[in-house]
């Protein structure tokens, strides 16, 4: 009994520490500079949010959403067909191409900045969302393919082999038979890719200099640098950056655990 | 042959991104690392200097610091802390007590919160928590008389590394824990029952039965956490800007500083190639492992 209480107490303390920072973002975002540290809990206000939107923060939310959604769609399309090829087909240079793609996971992004900057400058893609979409798809592809190949391996081959024998056109097999079965895997991959892109800072910093094109992380940090003492507004901006990923992730809990089990840790 | 053609179509989008985003920059960096290309004299181009940049690099005392910070603090300490806490937390979540009170699922859900918090937000909120004036940690320290002066966690050399490691750990621990939890749940119950019948207590069951079963996923997570932190620019740059001074300078921030502050693009490329080479060695180990363990039937 004492043992049980000790475990429960430990668990509650650990999880309080774990969720405290995110919780604090939301609490602080409803407080003003004056009330931030008072213990009077009756004075919550939406002023921070109103001021943020008045200063045009909505545009950055839109930019981020637009870039991330397009990038996730391209990532999913590319990685589903690639994962199908790796999982179900035999072809020349298979291990070499799979290995090269996987090594993308280990690649230091920082060394891409200069060459990509020069390439984008030549193509006229600087200060253009195309360059961001290109980078975001490229950085999320290796891990997405890894997750999806792992997931596909857990699906019996008989399912799609039967369809092949029925003479179903090959592309249709992927979209009509394979994709629906691997939906949990696709959802996890999409959520993972979205989070990666949504919080990306380095490429946005390097390739977007026009204010009206900037993404949320970039603007959040710029805002933080300029208004270090206006914690209320900084926290409101942080809260707005966090809400979409929370809304996306929490309902997917079951899928994420499932995707992790079958994907990366299959023993 | 027909199959090869179809497979090629399926891989076109991926190969396109890989070529332009990974292959071309690597070739570009390798070439640049043998020149003295300067950011402020870009028009002039770079002259071939052979191995000079690499020689400068190994003799530069700043590189020694950067290399130590990256391998020791960021990677060894950072990964060790994450793996250890991840294992402990996975065992806690999977404990009979939490299961009995049906708390495993709700805690698993709460665990997603730090992960779903974008890393940039994680840095911002932790900078507030660790702030000398407004941060809660310093308020506690002063209020309960633990210390007399507030601590500037991100500017004091004795606290700055533990602080950065805390921020990274908080943000990335959930993924590690959930992976371990999934692996823990997949331990066959017959083995655990057998151990129990043989008189093994809970601790013995954990160490001698469950932990060995989790070794593959532990190795994979060690490697993945290594990639994620060794290469990471954002956490260090946004937390401290490589400071105080260049005290927390790591390889990723040094590549940036050398190229865009000092303008030494050639040197920066050489450093980048060293980084990429080290990671490729780890990458090949990782690749052999995942292919052998998970994807054996593919090849």
């Amino acid at each position: 009994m004492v043992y049980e209480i000790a475990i429960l107490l430990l668990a509650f303390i650990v999880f309080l520490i774990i969720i405290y920072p995110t919780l604090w973002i939301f609490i602080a975002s409803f407080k003003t500079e004056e009330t931030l540290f008072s213990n009077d809990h009756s004075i919550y206000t939406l002023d921070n949010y109103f001021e943020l939107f008045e200063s045009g923060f909505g545009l950055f939310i839109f930019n981020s959403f637009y870039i991330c959604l397009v990038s996730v769609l391209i990532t999913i399309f590319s990685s589903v067909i690639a994962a199908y090829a790796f999982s179900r087909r035999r072809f020349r240079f298979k291990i070499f191409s799979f290995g090269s793609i996987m090594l993308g996971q280990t690649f230091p992004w920082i060394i891409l900045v200069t060459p990509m900057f020069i390439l984008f400058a030549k193509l006229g893609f600087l200060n253009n969302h195309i360059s961001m979409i290109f980078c975001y798809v490229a950085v999320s592809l290796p891990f997405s393919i890894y997750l999806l190949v792992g997931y596909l391996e857990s699906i019996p081959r008989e399912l799609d082999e039967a369809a092949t024998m029925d003479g179903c056109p090959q592309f249709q097999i992927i979209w009509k038979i394979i994709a629906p079965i691997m939906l949990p895997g696709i959802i996890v991959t999409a959520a993972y890719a979205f989070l990666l892109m949504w919080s990306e800072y380095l490429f946005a910093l390097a390739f977007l200099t026009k204010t009206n094109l900037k993404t949320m992380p970039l603007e959040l940090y710029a805002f933080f640098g300029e208004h270090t003492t206006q914690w209320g507004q900084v926290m409101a901006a942080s809260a707005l950056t966090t809400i979409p990923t929370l809304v996306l992730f929490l309902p997917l809990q079951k899928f994420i655990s499932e995707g992790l089990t079958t994907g990366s840790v299959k023993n | 042959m027909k199959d090869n053609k179809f497979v090629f179509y399926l891989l076109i989008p991926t190969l396109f991104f890989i070529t332009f985003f990974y292959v071309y920059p690597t070739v570009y960096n390798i070439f640049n690392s043998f020149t003295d290309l300067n950011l402020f004299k870009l028009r002039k181009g770079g002259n071939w200097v052979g191995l000079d940049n690499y020689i400068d690099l190994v003799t530069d005392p700043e590189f020694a610091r950067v290399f130590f910070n990256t391998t020791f603090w960021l990677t060894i300490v950072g990964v060790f802390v994450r793996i250890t806490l991840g294992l402990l937390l996975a065992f806690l979540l999977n404990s009979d007590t939490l299961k009995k009170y049906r708390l495993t699922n709700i805690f698993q859900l709460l665990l997603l919160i730090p992960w779903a918090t974008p890393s940039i937000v994680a840095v911002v909120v932790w900078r507030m928590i660790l702030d000398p004036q407004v941060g809660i940690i310093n308020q506690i320290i002063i209020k309960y008389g633990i210390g007399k002066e507030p601590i500037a966690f991100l500017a004091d050399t004795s606290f700055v590394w533990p602080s950065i490691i805390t921020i990274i750990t908080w943000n990335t621990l959930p993924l590690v824990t959930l992976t371990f939890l999934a692996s823990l749940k997949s331990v066959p119950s017959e083995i655990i029952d057998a151990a129990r019948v043989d008189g093994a207590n809970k601790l013995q069951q954990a160490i001698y039965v469950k932990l060995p079963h989790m070794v593959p996923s532990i190795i994979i997570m060690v490697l993945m956490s290594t990639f994620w932190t060794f290469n990471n620019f954002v956490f260090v740059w946004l937390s401290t800007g490589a400071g105080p001074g260049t005290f927390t300078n790591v390889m990723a921030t040094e590549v940036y500083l050398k190229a865009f502050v000092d303008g030494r693009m050639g040197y920066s490329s050489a450093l980048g190639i060293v980084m990429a080479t080290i990671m490729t060695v780890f990458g090949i180990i990782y690749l052999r492992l995942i292919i052998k363990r998970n994807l054996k039937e593919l090849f």
Side-chain angles (χ1 to χ4, degrees):
Chain A
M1 197 57 202
V2 179
Y3 170 78
E4 276 191 358
I5 292 170
I7 292 279
L8 286 175
L9 204 63
L10 179 71
F12 278 106
I13 292 170
V14 166
F15 277 89
L16 191 67
I17 296 171
I18 284 177
I19 61 167
Y20 172 79
T22 310
L23 204 63
W24 175 244
I25 297 171
F26 289 94
I27 296 170
S29 74
F30 295 114
K31 293 187 168 191
T32 64
E33 308 316 315
E34 292 78 35
T35 62
L36 191 54
F37 298 107
S38 86
N39 286 322
D40 183 357
H41 292 296
S42 59
I43 26 182
Y44 289 99
T45 163
L46 282 170
D47 284 359
N48 292 321
Y49 289 92
F50 288 133
E51 278 169 41
L52 258 187
F53 277 102
E54 270 165 29
S55 68
F57 205 71
L59 177 68
F60 307 114
I61 302 179
F62 173 80
N63 283 344
S64 270
F65 259 111
Y66 158 72
I67 292 173
C68 293
L69 283 180
V70 175
S71 308
V72 167
L73 287 177
I74 299 175
T75 302
I76 291 301
F77 173 80
S78 313
S79 53
V80 166
I81 56 178
Y84 172 78
F86 283 120
S87 175
R88 295 298 197 258
R89 300 283 165 164
R90 300 193 167 275
F91 53 92
R92 260 187 277 168
F93 304 120
K94 186 176 178 180
I95 199 156
F96 175 78
S97 45
F98 184 74
S100 317
I101 296 168
M102 288 305 107
L103 284 183
Q105 283 181 63
T106 70
F107 209 82
W109 297 357
I110 186 80
I111 76 169
L112 305 167
V113 172
T114 314
M116 291 318 286
F117 187 88
I118 292 169
L119 182 69
F120 287 145
K122 281 185 184 149
L123 296 170
F125 284 168
L126 286 180
N127 277 315
N128 186 323
H129 286 161
I130 291 177
S131 59
M132 297 321 299
I133 292 169
F134 180 86
C135 290
Y136 289 176
V137 174
V139 293
S140 52
L141 263 182
F143 195 68
S144 301
I145 293 175
Y146 169 62
L147 276 182
L148 287 177
V149 169
Y151 198 83
L152 256 181
E153 284 302 288
S154 68
I155 298 173
R157 274 153 218 274
E158 291 77 36
L159 272 170
D160 41 295
E161 271 164 8
T164 321
M165 281 168 198
D166 286 346
C168 205
Q170 286 174 311
F171 264 112
Q172 282 189 19
I173 296 176
I174 301 179
W175 297 113
K176 288 196 173 153
I177 297 165
I178 301 283
I181 317 175
M182 62 193 289
L183 199 61
I186 292 178
I187 290 172
V188 175
T189 310
Y192 176 84
F194 184 87
L195 181 63
L196 187 73
M197 298 162 180
W198 184 255
S199 51
E200 201 285 321
Y201 179 78
L202 180 61
F203 296 123
L205 179 72
F207 305 139
L208 300 175
T209 49
K210 280 194 186 146
T211 310
N212 63 340
L213 293 173
K214 284 183 177 172
T215 56
M216 264 175 103
L218 207 53
E219 192 53 27
L220 169 65
Y221 206 76
F223 188 80
F224 175 60
E226 288 161 23
H227 310 260
T228 5
T229 49
Q230 282 168 275
W231 287 105
Q233 277 195 47
V234 171
M235 287 301 127
S238 300
L240 288 174
T241 311
T242 311
I243 290 168
T245 46
L246 278 182
V247 169
L248 187 74
F249 260 67
L250 296 189
L252 292 181
Q253 188 223 356
K254 205 176 141 278
F255 286 124
I256 288 173
S257 306
E258 208 177 296
L260 284 173
T261 330
T262 46
S264 54
V265 292
K266 205 175 79 177
N267 282 312
Chain B
M1 263 340 268
K2 198 181 152 214
D3 216 36
N4 270 339
K5 206 169 158 193
F6 178 59
V7 166
F8 181 66
Y9 289 141
L10 294 179
L11 293 179
I12 282 179
T14 305
L15 292 178
F16 170 80
F17 284 102
I18 298 291
T19 310
F20 281 97
F21 197 78
Y22 296 104
V23 180
Y24 148 74
T26 308
V27 174
Y28 173 94
N29 274 308
I30 291 175
F31 179 78
N32 258 359
S33 70
F34 296 113
T35 71
D36 61 357
L37 187 70
N38 193 297
L39 178 69
F40 310 113
K41 299 169 197 151
L42 270 184
R43 265 166 214 277
K44 198 180 127 248
N47 298 314
W48 187 263
V49 294
L51 286 170
D52 280 8
N53 287 322
Y54 290 94
I55 293 164
D56 279 2
L57 199 136
V58 284
T59 51
D60 184 358
E62 180 64 16
F63 176 73
R65 183 222 294 276
V66 164
F67 189 77
F68 176 78
N69 280 345
T70 315
T71 48
F72 179 73
W73 280 113
L74 206 55
T75 310
I76 297 175
V77 175
V79 171
F80 178 79
V81 169
R82 236 173 309 173
I83 298 295
T84 314
L85 289 180
L87 278 172
L88 291 174
L89 211 52
F91 275 104
L92 178 66
L93 278 169
N94 200 45
S95 69
D96 295 335
T97 312
L98 290 202
K99 277 186 192 156
K100 186 176 153 195
Y101 293 97
R102 298 177 184 282
L103 289 167
T104 302
N105 278 338
I106 178 82
F107 279 155
Q108 214 176 316
L109 189 69
L110 293 179
L111 193 58
L112 288 177
I113 291 175
W115 189 21
T117 307
S119 43
I120 184 134
V121 176
V123 173
V124 169
V125 70
W126 273 97
R127 279 182 65 169
M128 184 176 184
I129 292 171
L130 298 170
D131 191 271
Q133 272 92 46
V134 303
I136 180 151
I137 297 183
N138 273 307
Q139 288 184 343
I140 292 172
I141 288 174
I142 300 297
K143 197 172 170 187
Y144 295 101
I146 300 165
K148 288 193 180 71
E149 296 284 312
I151 298 164
F153 285 101
L154 290 167
D156 187 323
T157 49
S158 28
F159 292 100
V160 65
W161 270 118
S163 305
I164 294 176
I165 301 292
T166 305
I167 300 175
I168 300 177
T169 305
W170 179 77
N171 200 209
T172 52
L173 188 61
L175 180 64
V176 178
T177 309
L178 289 176
T179 309
F180 288 158
L181 187 63
S183 165
L184 199 52
K185 281 180 178 166
S186 74
V187 180
S189 52
E190 300 89 55
I191 312 181
I192 302 170
D193 291 339
R196 193 180 298 141
V197 171
D198 289 345
N201 63 30
K202 277 183 182 168
L203 190 67
Q204 286 168 330
Q205 285 171 31
I207 294 174
Y208 298 111
V209 181
K210 292 173 182 170
L211 214 50
H213 187 85
M214 294 166 77
V215 168
S217 62
I218 295 174
I219 295 173
I220 297 263
M221 271 298 125
V222 166
L223 287 169
M224 285 188 142
S225 319
T226 304
F227 307 145
W228 291 331
T229 33
F230 185 92
N231 290 331
N232 195 284
F233 171 80
V234 169
F235 281 117
V236 173
W237 186 251
L238 300 184
S239 303
T240 64
T246 53
F247 187 79
T248 55
N249 204 2
V250 292
M251 287 176 105
T253 50
E254 176 75 347
V255 169
Y256 179 87
L257 288 171
K258 277 288 176 308
F260 298 107
V261 178
D262 296 355
R264 295 176 66 192
M265 311 280 272
Y267 182 91
S268 164
S269 286
L271 191 62
I273 292 301
V274 171
M275 261 181 106
T277 310
I278 297 172
M279 278 300 99
T280 306
V281 174
F282 280 92
I284 289 169
I285 300 173
Y286 163 76
L287 204 61
R288 291 180 64 103
L289 252 158
I290 58 168
I291 287 175
K292 219 169 99 190
R293 290 216 71 95
N294 300 349
L295 309 168
K296 213 186 303 171
E297 294 128 44
L298 285 186
F299 302 100

